[in-house]
Amino acid sequence: MKINENYLRLEESYLFASIAHKLAAWKEANPRREVIRLGIGDVTLPLVPAVTEAMHKAVDEMGRQETFHGYGPEQGYSFLREAVCGYYAARGTIIGEDEIFVSDGAKSDLGNILDVLSLQNTVLIPDPVYPVYVDTNVMAGRDIRYLSANRENGFLPLPDQAPRADIIYLCSPNNPTGAAYSREALRRWVAYAQEHGALILYDAAYEAFVCEEALARSIYEIDGARECAIEFCSLSKTAGFTGTRCGYTVVPKSLSFGGHGLHALWLRRQTTKFNGVPYIVQRGAQAVFSPEGQRQTRANLDYYRGNAALLAGALQARGVWYTGGKNSPYIWMKCPDGMSSWEFFDYLLERAGIVGTPGSGFGPGGEGYFRLTAFGDRGRTEKAAGLLKEIL
Ligand SMILES: *Cc1c(COP(=O)(O)O)cnc(C)c1O
């Protein structure tokens, strides 16, 4: 018996452990000072009433003989897939119900999709990046090439700067940088993928934060994307489902490589290795897409947007360069005075009691940058904005 040695090649991430360690030491030295956490990548507002009501009802159904549900369809219940189709259609994007695969979140599918793609493919990953894309490919043993996201390209690299690769990861609005691609920029990526026979894995976990008209909510807003892209969506950040677990992945039937449709392979993979998302959770997810659920979740998104605007306002007032904040819950700022990411972490904690996330934790390209999140509560975010104006 031999282990998968690729796991030994994974780089240990000390990011969140180091943050916790530094914070604990600081608290011990400053027992009376308040900590403001702007580092969390998790939502804080509870599920909206439309969702919890639907889930309560589903729980009761599960407890009655006539309405009990056992195994459901691996792809997800039709009621939820129809609701997702309706959500796309309302924005003018037509997706077939059977092209939607309900999942327990985007992270699982982003990793699992690699099952149906050859190990011989090279992978293109932006730097800095959400670490899941890198680690899942290291685990599989694929060759990774990096694409520099930087201040010059607004942290939105384009294909003319890219090394050749077969699989391309794009995340927009981006975690960690908050930057979001315009339709025009995505058109260039789709054209590039078509020209080179590459596949785009498009992470749209933050699509609901997009408010500017020129920015895409889905890669399928671009002609030709149905022939070269898979889209990963999640209710985690858009509807507070980080602990409830539900997402959906769109695999168009028109996606074909070497004469083989990816849809059929993915369906086969899912029906073999996945037994679906709980009925109760899918009823909750369906309620997100109801008119009431949409109204209520929009109010939560507006709350986070308000937080982001406060933080962005403080940076603007001090002339600090940043991306994000408008179409994303993340703000990605340049550390002042040439500080490194960790130097600024220490400075911010010491001077203001604010905890953020060092950009270098998302890849070498993040060095010298810092991520702030809008997922905190309003009062503390207001206080943080005031402190930032004082110390920057
Ligand atoms: C949070 C997040 C996800 C969503 O993950 P889930 O498994 O659906 O909770 C996906 N991609 C990115 C970039 C994220 O930040």
Side-chain angles (χ1 to χ4, degrees):
M1 203 321 272
K2 293 192 180 72
I3 60 152
N4 177 352
E5 291 195 357
N6 292 326
Y7 278 67
L8 308 179
R9 292 188 195 102
L10 289 165
E11 271 185 53
E12 208 56 63
S13 173
Y14 297 107
L15 178 65
F16 290 101
S18 302
I19 292 173
H21 183 75
K22 277 177 181 274
L23 179 59
W26 183 84
K27 273 184 174 165
E28 199 163 300
N30 303 276
R32 266 179 276 285
R33 285 182 64 187
E34 187 193 7
V35 180
I36 305 178
R37 290 173 189 275
L38 297 181
I40 37 171
D42 195 354
V43 295
T44 53
L45 293 174
L47 295 174
V48 299
V51 168
T52 53
E53 279 158 25
M55 289 174 74
H56 278 300
K57 194 164 154 264
V59 168
D60 289 339
E61 285 179 55
M62 292 297 277
R64 279 197 309 271
Q65 183 72 66
E66 318 79 66
T67 48
F68 169 75
H69 287 78
Y71 287 124
E74 292 93 344
Q75 255 195 280
Y77 283 101
S78 192
F79 61 75
L80 177 52
R81 290 189 285 135
E82 266 169 32
V84 173
C85 286
Y87 180 66
Y88 274 106
R91 291 180 265 136
T93 305
I94 304 307
I95 306 283
E97 191 193 310
D98 56 358
E99 295 178 316
I100 292 166
F101 294 78
V102 174
S103 72
D104 64 349
K107 192 185 196 174
S108 320
D109 277 8
L110 280 161
N112 293 337
I113 195 73
L114 297 177
D115 268 18
V116 302
L117 309 176
S118 165
L119 280 180
Q120 283 154 22
N121 293 309
T122 53
V123 179
L124 185 64
I125 298 183
D127 166 32
V129 76
Y130 178 58
V132 171
Y133 315 149
V134 176
D135 288 351
T136 50
N137 279 290
V138 171
M139 287 171 179
R142 268 188 207 84
D143 183 21
I144 300 175
R145 289 156 196 193
Y146 290 93
L147 175 60
S148 171
N150 52 49
R151 183 168 170 172
E152 288 64 46
N153 58 34
F155 287 90
L156 294 168
L158 289 169
D160 46 315
Q161 300 150 343
R164 270 280 297 124
D166 306 305
I167 300 170
I168 299 165
Y169 284 85
L170 298 177
C171 176
S172 177
N174 192 272
N175 177 15
T177 72
Y181 278 112
S182 65
R183 282 191 200 91
E184 191 41 50
L186 285 184
R187 262 191 276 281
R188 290 168 66 178
W189 274 114
V190 166
Y192 176 84
Q194 285 190 310
E195 188 185 334
H196 293 97
L199 172 68
I200 295 174
L201 300 179
Y202 191 78
D203 185 342
Y206 297 92
E207 58 81 15
F209 284 87
V210 169
C211 48
E212 276 174 276
E213 201 33 58
L215 304 181
R217 296 270 300 272
S218 160
I219 193 152
Y220 302 119
E221 291 172 27
I222 310 302
D223 282 342
R226 289 182 52 90
E227 281 72 50
C228 66
I230 295 177
E231 179 158 289
F232 300 86
C233 300
S234 170
L235 297 180
S236 283
K237 315 303 173 10
T238 65
F241 270 56
T242 51
T244 307
R245 311 303 309 144
C246 195
Y248 47 94
T249 296
V250 182
V251 184
K253 288 195 154 168
S254 40
L255 260 186
S256 176
F257 292 84
H260 300 284
L262 282 191
H263 183 278
L265 299 187
W266 179 242
L267 182 63
R268 190 70 173 84
R269 190 267 170 213
Q270 289 299 79
T271 51
T272 303
K273 293 198 189 182
F274 185 59
N275 251 341
V277 174
Y279 174 74
I280 297 161
V281 171
Q282 292 195 56
R283 281 295 184 195
Q286 178 192 19
V288 169
F289 300 105
S290 69
E292 194 59 22
Q294 282 291 293
R295 211 165 20 251
Q296 292 169 355
T297 48
R298 262 200 296 272
N300 285 3
L301 292 174
D302 283 342
Y303 180 92
Y304 295 136
R305 281 199 191 98
N307 286 348
L310 283 168
L311 297 170
L315 300 182
Q316 267 163 23
R318 302 304 305 148
V320 175
W321 191 91
Y322 69 93
T323 59
K326 194 161 182 199
N327 301 285
S328 158
Y330 299 119
I331 290 184
W332 180 253
M333 61 175 284
K334 179 94 185 80
C335 300
D337 305 324
M339 274 189 250
S340 73
S341 298
W342 278 110
E343 280 167 351
F344 185 62
F345 176 91
D346 292 335
Y347 176 81
L348 204 56
L349 182 59
E350 200 41 59
R351 294 289 303 274
I354 296 174
V355 181
T357 314
S360 54
F362 300 98
E367 182 57 275
Y369 290 86
F370 202 76
R371 192 188 75 174
L372 301 173
T373 80
F375 286 131
D377 75 78
R378 181 58 55 84
R380 273 191 283 267
T381 305
E382 265 166 4
K383 203 179 272 184
L387 288 164
L388 285 171
K389 280 187 203 160
E390 281 171 35
I391 66 155
L392 286 175

